Every structure is written in C-alpha cells, then in structure tokens.
Amino acid sequence: MTAPGEILHTGAAEYPGLDTWRSLTLAQQPDWRSHEDFDAAYQQLSDNPPLVFAGEVDRLKRRLAAVAQGEAFLLQGGDCAEVFDEITADRISGKIKTILQMAVVLTYGASVPVVKMGRMAGQYAKPRSSDEETRDGVTLPSFRGDIVNQYEFTEEARIPDPKRMLTGYNKSAATLNLIRAFTEGGFADLRAVQQWNKGFMDNPAHAQYQQLAGEVERAVKFMHAAGVSSDSLKRTEFYVGHEGLLLDYERALTRIDSRTGAPYVTSGHFIWIGERTRELDGAHVDYLSRVRNPIGIKLGPSTTPETALQLIDKIDPEREPGRLTFITRFGASKIRDGLPPVVEAVRDAGHQPVWVTDPMHGNNINSANGYKTRRFDDIMDEVRGFFEVHKAAGTYPGGVHVEMTGDDVAECIGGSDPIDESAFDDRYESLVDPRLNHKQSLELAFLLAESLKGVK
Ligand code: PEP
Ligand code: CO
C-alpha cells in the first residue's frame, strides 16, 4: 500500500547543509562544470520525477535492519559498470534470473530470507586510478563510465558530456520499469524456479540447481495443497543500488520526502561509497551522511579500526538499524589477518552494521594475455575467510556483493567448468572489472548456502 503523500516528493534546493559537499574535496569527478550543456542537464535532472520512492527506501532499511540482526542475508549483484548499449530486455532479464536463482539456492539451501539487490539501474560511473590515459603518445581523459564519456579512444569520445547524465537517468528508468514488471508481474513466482534455468547451458552447477529447483517445486506444491496462501510466492521485492560517485547526478536527483521532510537520493534505493572516495572529510562522505537512504561503505585492506569507527560516527551517529552497511574487500590473502581488528572494534563499540563481503575487488590480477581478471578460487577463498572471521568474532556475516552477469562470458578464471585465459579473446566483454558468468554465480551461491548453514 502506498501511504498518502508517499510519492509527492519535492525538490531539495534549499535544504540546510545539503550543499556543504560543494566546499569539500571532491575526488574522482569529470571536469565538466563549465561545459555549455552542464546547467541545462542539471536543471532537467532536478525537474525529473524520482526513480525510486522514499517509502521503498525505508522498507529496504527495515530489511537491512533484519540482516544486521542475523535474520536475513543480503545478495547484491550486477555489472562492474552498466553499459548504455546493453540495456536490453535479454541482458536485464538474464541478470535478474541469475540473482533470483542465487537467492533460491540461499533461501532453500540455508533457510534464510534473502534481500535481493541489483548493482543495476544507475551503476554507470567509475572511479579511475588516473585522470588521463596515454596510448602511443596520445593523452586523453580516462573513461569514467557511460554516464560521463565514451570508452572509444578518441578526443571526441573521451570529452565528458553532462548530457550523458540524462541518458543515464532514462536508461535507469527503463531498467527499473522492467525490473518492476518482472518481479511483480509473475516472473518471480517461485513456482517458476525451473524455468529460470531455461536457456542456460548444461554444466554441473546447472544440474545441481535443477535438482534443488525440483525440491523447491515440490515444497511449493505441498504448501499450496496444505492451503498456505501462495500470494507471497508470486512476487518478490527487488532493490537497486549503485556507487554514489557522481555527486552532480546524485544531488540533482535528491528529493524531499513530503511525509517526513527529509532528503532522499532517488536515483536508487541503496547507495554505496567506494574505497577510493571514503575520506572522512571528503565530499562523498559528507553528502551521503545527509540523506536518508541506507548507505554502504567499501572497506579495503588499509582500513584501520579507528577509520571504521569514525565512519560510523559520521554516517550513522544515531545508530539507526539498517542505515549502515560495511562492504569489506580485503582480498583473499589479507582478509583473515586484516578484517578481525576492524570487526572486533566495531563490535566492541556496540555497533551492529550489516557486514557484507565483496570478494571481487581485492582479488584483481592481470592475465598473461593482457586481461584484467580474477581467480574463481580466490573469490571463494575470500568468502570462506569472511565467514571464518565473523564466526570467530561472534558477529553475523550478512551478505555478499558480487560482479556478475547472466551471460556466458569468460572473464574470471576457474570454476567447475573451468574458464581459462584462452577464452578471453572471444568471450571477455566487460569494459572494466571481470564478472562471474551465470554458472560461476550459481556455484558461488551453493558455497554461500553451505557456509550459511554453519551460521544458522
Ligand atoms: C566497484 O564496486 O566497482 C569498485 C570500484 O569497488 P571499490 O570501490 O571497492 O574499489
Ligand atoms: Co568493479
């Protein structure tokens, strides 16, 4: 039910403190404020309707509060960077089906409710290690994601174009529309678990899924026969989140909720701050501390216990359940030594954030044939390390954050139907970080279900 006034958001032009970030260090932005189209694009975005609603954002926060308490598990997945040209029904449904399949494996395998979230409908902007890229003596601005400039290495393509924020908004609206149709219109009906597997190639992880889907189907039929209402099996909640990197975009899409008078970023339900923009005194932490969405913060291997505690004070001073998610990405070789002091300090301070593992970003390597890749074994090992650390600390391992796709790409090495580097030339599609393909994603879900069984 939509509460009266829920969708009546107004602009946030004068909200106190909301523009403090403008006077702080703002890392990782394109140089485009003086572009002739900047003001018009910003104004248009500010006038556009919200993409998500404050009531949905609040509901997600309640779900995340349950995760923090150990009563549910958060599954976040999607591309490293969404690509405008790939916003197609096939690709979006492939990602949703894969996330739904992973969620079923977890729900049924570990008897835990799963909060489902795509890195989707807004995951367009990328932080880069250098502002510029040089090839054969030619230096151009780095590619910062489709919402800023184009990947092609020409001057015209690489000049940041603020109008691309409007394209990003429109692509996000189209993506969300399809997500809502799929997840509320019967596509996510648990009685269709078998069908989600159709069209995916035969391999061991798929066979294992097929068997589990058969069991789920029998259980659902049993509940139906026993008279349990099947309404809740027909649709599912599906949230979207992205890195809140491009503050011009996030600020222009911030609205005041008419029920509470509080500001919400309406470009997505969940917004996270990346490892490279989480300086305590920086613009990103300040801006996102002032909006009411649930906020994630990536924590890499350099994180000290003090930093984690300071971030809590800044983003979540009220200790609001579900407000803060720490997404740890230490790397398989560092998590077992590096994460415990951070988790223990947060625990001892009496705070209960959602703890999520991102087993992708700490495990980047370069393949001999020149691709950015990750070993599936390292990814699995970081997940195991995450469970071990939380078990030892008596804290709850609340979720996983992965870069994945429903497509049959070859970008990460290994898996039970092993991918090796020689497949990259034909099936490597990502413009930035390598993703798990459909089968590798399912395999990871089975490992997670096993690990979670040990927690419950
Ligand atoms: C990402 O999630 O794609 C990313 C850039 O991660 P991180 O901020 O952890 O490096
Ligand atoms: Co990435």
Side-chain angles (χ1 to χ4, degrees), residues 63 86 111 123 133 154 166 203 245 322 348 369 372 379 398 400 429:
R63 303 290 182 254
E86 293 179 5
S111 306
Q123 179 52 28
E133 182 180 345
T154 65
L166 295 171
N203 65 56
L245 182 70
D348 293 346
N369 55 350
K372 190 174 182 183
I379 293 167
V400 66
E429 295 179 13

Side-chain angles (χ1 to χ4, degrees), residues 79-81 119 123 126 298 358 360-361 364 372 374 403 432-434:
D79 300 309
C80 180
R119 276 177 70 113
Q123 179 52 28
K126 298 310 298 174
K298 293 280 201 97
D358 163 359
M360 315 296 292
H361 288 91
N364 288 342
K372 190 174 182 183
R374 293 159 176 155
E403 291 183 339
V432 264
D433 288 340

Side-chain angles (χ1 to χ4, degrees), residues 48-100:
N48 279 354
L51 291 170
V52 302
F53 303 113
E56 297 171 338
V57 172
D58 289 343
R59 190 180 58 202
L60 171 62
K61 210 188 275 172
R62 292 197 297 276
R63 303 290 182 254
L64 292 175
V67 174
Q69 301 233 303
E71 292 161 7
F73 191 78
L74 173 64
L75 171 62
Q76 294 180 297
D79 300 309
C80 180
E82 291 175 285
V83 175
F84 286 172
D85 286 347
E86 293 179 5
I87 304 300
T88 63
D90 276 355
R91 296 219 190 223
I92 294 168
S93 75
K95 266 179 271 186
I96 296 173
K97 275 196 279 188
T98 308
I99 292 172
L100 291 176

